[in-house]
Structure formats: C-alpha cells, structure tokens
Amino acid sequence: MSNADNGLAAPTTIDATIAYLGAQGDGGARLPDGSIVHVPFTLPGEVVRLQNSAGRWVLDKILTASPDRVEPPCPLFGECGGCTLQHMRPAALLEWKVDRVKAALGKAGFTNSPNPQDFQVPPHSRRRADLAIRRQGKAILLGLHARNSSDVVDLTSCLVLHPTIINALPALRDGLRSLEGLRQSGDIQLNVLDSGLDVLLSTDHSLTTGDRTRLAALAELLSIPRISWKPQSGNGEAENVAQRGSVRHKLGDAEVSPPPGAFLQATAESELWIQQAVVHALPKKLGKRDTIIELYAGCGTLSFPLANHARVQAYEGYASAASALKAGSGGTRVTASCRDLSRQPIMSKELTAAAVVVLDPPHAGAKLQMMQLITGKPKTVIYVSCNPAALAKDASGLHSAGYTVSSVTVIDQFLWSAEVEAVCGFTHGSSHRSRNGLSRSG
C-alpha cells in the first residue's frame, strides 16, 4: 500500500546508497520500494540524499563521499553535456572502464580472458569536435549541448579538446556571426589533421556569395587549408567553399587526404595505442601470401600498419573515406574497396581463407557481418570496439563458434565520459599459438 493510499504525503527526500555506475556513468541505487534510480554525478559507495523534483529523484546532497570523488576541474562541468564523470578520480575511471570491457566479455561467455592492458589519454588531446551553433540575439553560441537538452552551452573553456581547436573558437564565432546562410542554427565538425585544422560547416540555409568570401577570409586568418559546407538537413555531399592548401594526414607509413568530417580516432595517442594493440594481436608468423581482411576500414587507420605484416584487403562503406584510402594506398600492400557491409557483408567463404579478420564496426556493432564471420571461422579475429554492449553481443557469437580470447586492451580515449574503446584478439582452435607461446585454447 502506498503512502497516498494511507493518506500520507509522498516523501520529498530520501537517503540511498549508490551501488554501481550505469552504462551512461550515472550512479544506480535501489530505493526502499525496490525500484532502481540512476542519479548523475554520484559514485559507487556514496550515501546520498535524493529529492523528488517533478516526479524524478535528483541529487540533493552527498552525505558520505566516495574516496574516488574529486573536485571537477572544468568550470562548465554539470552545465555542459560533454563530460559526465569529472567528479571521479581518473585512475578509478579507467578501472571502471576496464571492468566494463571485462564484464562485456564475461557476458559473451569468456570467463577466463587475459588481464587487459589499459591506457588513458591526457587532457587537451582530443583532436575531433562536433559542435552545435546557435544564434542568440547578436551573439553566436558555439559549443556542446547541455545534458539531456537541445540548449547549447557556449564552450568558453575545455580541458578535453586539443589547443588547436580551443584557440580557433573565438575567431570561428566572429566569422560565423556574419554568415547570411546561418539564420538560427548549424553544426561544425573540426578535425586537427597533420596539415592543420579541417572544418566542415552545416547551416540551416544556403550560403550566399558573400558568405563564401567571408569563409575564405576566415580560412586565411586561421591558416585553415580547407573549409567545406553542406546543408544542415539532408545527406548531401559536402562541397569545398574555401581551399587554400592541401589536406593531408599520415596513417602508419602512408599519407591520405581525408574527406570533410572524416572519422579519426579521438586522439593521436589513442590512435597509436589502438594500432599497437591490433598489431600485437596478430599471429606471430604471417606468410608473404597471407591476407588480412579488414572490415570498416575508414581512411586506413589500421590498414597501413597492418600492411607491414601481410597483404590487406580493406573494405569501407562510406564512399569518400574509401576513395581516400584507395588514393593513399599506392605502393603499399593495401587493396581498398567500397562496400556497405551492413547490406552486403563479406561472405563466409572469403573470410575462411583469410589469415586474420580485423573489424572496427560502428557503435551498434557488426550485425549481419558477424553471422558470416562466425560461419567462416577465420583463425584470428581482432575486434575493435567502441561500445561494450555491442561487443558483448558480437563476441557471444564468437564464443559459441569456439573462439577464445588471446588479448584485451582497454583505451580511455574519451576522457571524463562513459565511453570506452577496446581491442580484443580472438583465436579459433587449440593448435594455434599465442605470441607468448601459450596455447590459445586457454
């Protein structure tokens, strides 16, 4: 019987103990009525006082703080939705992310996985940003959305982003303010490439001739090799509206020209750690005729390092990225193909013949491609994951097909967020030997 049934007023505050962190980084607690509530900005082990606000339980006060609690270093934390865990000691945050990957593998059935190697990027290292633009009177707001809101928090400081991005924001605000094609809202994607800052702008109206002239001046002011544009609505290809130099970026030993808004690993440090983890998971000996099949190859982040060890047949569904990979693969052992693996997966027969299959699928996982992979049973599978839930689902198929885990690397490349990257090596059959000489059957 509820309090209301007894004629008693429902409680407006309640004390609870945080038992765990949920997938989004919010603390989970069980209330006296048995229900579970997730509370932002709390940590496991903390005793907190919750307040009922419009039917939702929100944090009112921390009664007993976790030893892992620290003072958030950014003045925008709590307002900006970019970071969710700045109140947690970085070492404890990395440990939590390692546990998430281990739990995902355990859920898939791998209960005796190797101890993971782990890495954490430093502040001021993120070289990719996707920012929202809003007009507010005569001002331009340029930043990230507030938590669970469409409101834009103006990014006046950031401890995550690379200095090249942060230092460009004031001039970008000034330049965007004068654009006639930016009526109310837009988006801007920024990549720090070897050639400099690369900009992809989306606006709610078409650019005028004057806008293009203004963007060319902005590119000159900030020494930006390329500014591209596409409409905010629709999926049209980006067009270059200001080009003052070549666009280039080195991946492994090769140089590519990424398309506007290209996907890159979040930091240079994490890119190197991912490459090293993938190479480490390769079989100890690969013959000259062996082929590595790489799925979801992007512009070649893994393709070119892998080509130092065997021939690489790389598949990428995004045409512009596949073209960049193909153009940069001359003189290497990489053969690039454009193929939408969610509609036309590589079939099991071809996968069986490969010495290794490497895949770095999107957030939702490999879906149809995994069905072909577990049927083909290539000897070695190296899976790069950005989502523990998708990893658990896809890896469960590998477990059912008789694979064992040979290596695990966890990389915290999204500092102070709940996101985590992992590289997992899987081998099939007990006769294959790991890099340390132990049987990969366990």
Side-chain angles (χ1 to χ4, degrees), residues 161-408:
L161 291 179
H162 193 282
T164 299
I165 295 176
I166 290 296
N167 293 339
L169 293 183
L172 287 172
R173 284 190 187 87
D174 289 341
L176 294 171
R177 186 180 295 112
S178 62
L179 296 185
E180 297 173 69
L182 179 63
R183 304 284 180 85
Q184 295 295 329
S185 66
D187 300 282
I188 190 167
Q189 295 179 53
L190 305 169
N191 271 339
V192 180
L193 306 179
D194 291 342
S195 54
L197 191 64
D198 193 43
V199 177
L200 173 57
L201 174 67
S202 302
T203 59
D204 52 359
H205 284 75
S206 297
L207 298 179
T208 66
T209 301
D211 288 341
R212 295 168 186 268
T213 301
R214 296 178 189 101
L215 288 173
L218 179 62
E220 194 67 32
L221 175 66
L222 291 176
S223 299
I224 297 174
R226 176 180 67 187
I227 297 179
S228 307
W229 173 86
K230 66 178 183 179
Q232 192 177 24
S233 59
N235 297 313
E237 286 292 316
E239 61 172 295
N240 291 354
V241 296
Q243 183 104 32
R244 57 179 299 279
S246 62
V247 176
R248 63 190 188 280
H249 195 70
K250 195 169 185 180
L251 295 171
D253 297 327
E255 189 172 83
V256 300
S257 179
F263 171 82
L264 298 172
Q265 295 299 340
T267 75
E269 295 89 344
S270 58
E271 176 180 278
L272 180 60
W273 293 329
I274 291 169
Q275 291 169 339
Q276 290 174 340
V278 168
V279 168
H280 176 76
L282 292 172
K284 189 173 183 180
K285 292 183 179 180
L286 285 171
K288 291 182 179 180
R289 296 185 179 182
D290 284 335
T291 297
I292 298 171
I293 292 181
E294 184 193 5
L295 310 174
Y296 315 97
C299 294
T301 298
L302 301 177
S303 312
F304 299 113
L306 286 170
N308 292 326
H309 301 270
R311 296 179 300 176
V312 177
Q313 178 63 59
Y315 295 94
E316 168 55 38
Y318 178 42
S320 296
S323 295
L325 173 56
K326 188 172 184 178
S329 61
T332 73
R333 292 196 286 176
V334 176
T335 302
S337 300
C338 184
R339 184 158 168 169
D340 184 351
L341 300 173
S342 64
R343 296 169 181 253
Q344 190 183 5
I346 306 302
M347 302 305 288
S348 59
K349 184 177 180 180
E350 187 175 351
L351 297 172
T352 300
V356 183
V357 174
V358 177
L359 64 161
D360 185 0
H363 192 265
K367 299 182 178 179
L368 289 178
Q369 186 60 75
M370 286 301 300
M371 296 173 63
Q372 296 299 321
L373 197 150
I374 61 179
T375 301
K377 296 183 179 65
K379 294 178 181 179
T380 301
V381 174
I382 304 172
Y383 190 113
V384 182
S385 166
C386 63
N387 178 4
L391 173 62
K393 183 177 179 180
D394 288 347
S396 66
L398 295 174
H399 180 267
S400 298
Y403 283 84
T404 56
V405 181
S406 57
S407 64
V408 182

Side-chain angles (χ1 to χ4, degrees), residues 87-227:
H87 56 291
M88 189 175 192
R89 188 169 54 88
L93 176 57
L94 178 58
E95 183 179 352
W96 173 67
K97 293 188 178 187
V98 169
D99 287 342
R100 290 190 68 199
V101 173
K102 291 166 66 175
L105 290 172
K107 185 175 181 181
F110 297 103
T111 56
N112 293 310
S113 300
N115 289 327
Q117 283 194 306
D118 54 68
F119 302 92
Q120 188 173 54
V121 299
H124 301 296
S125 61
R126 185 174 171 90
R127 60 184 180 182
R128 295 178 49 229
D130 190 349
L131 305 179
I133 309 166
R134 294 288 186 276
R135 283 199 182 274
Q136 189 176 79
K138 295 182 178 181
I140 288 287
L141 301 181
L142 179 59
L144 297 169
H145 290 287
R147 185 183 176 97
N148 300 322
S149 172
S150 61
D151 294 340
V152 176
V153 177
D154 203 32
L155 209 60
T156 54
S157 66
C158 183
L159 298 179
V160 173
L161 291 179
H162 193 282
T164 299
I165 295 176
I166 290 296
N167 293 339
L169 293 183
L172 287 172
R173 284 190 187 87
D174 289 341
L176 294 171
R177 186 180 295 112
S178 62
L179 296 185
E180 297 173 69
L182 179 63
R183 304 284 180 85
Q184 295 295 329
S185 66
D187 300 282
I188 190 167
Q189 295 179 53
L190 305 169
N191 271 339
V192 180
L193 306 179
D194 291 342
S195 54
L197 191 64
D198 193 43
V199 177
L200 173 57
L201 174 67
S202 302
T203 59
D204 52 359
H205 284 75
S206 297
L207 298 179
T208 66
T209 301
D211 288 341
R212 295 168 186 268
T213 301
R214 296 178 189 101
L215 288 173
L218 179 62
E220 194 67 32
L221 175 66
L222 291 176
S223 299
I224 297 174
R226 176 180 67 187
I227 297 179

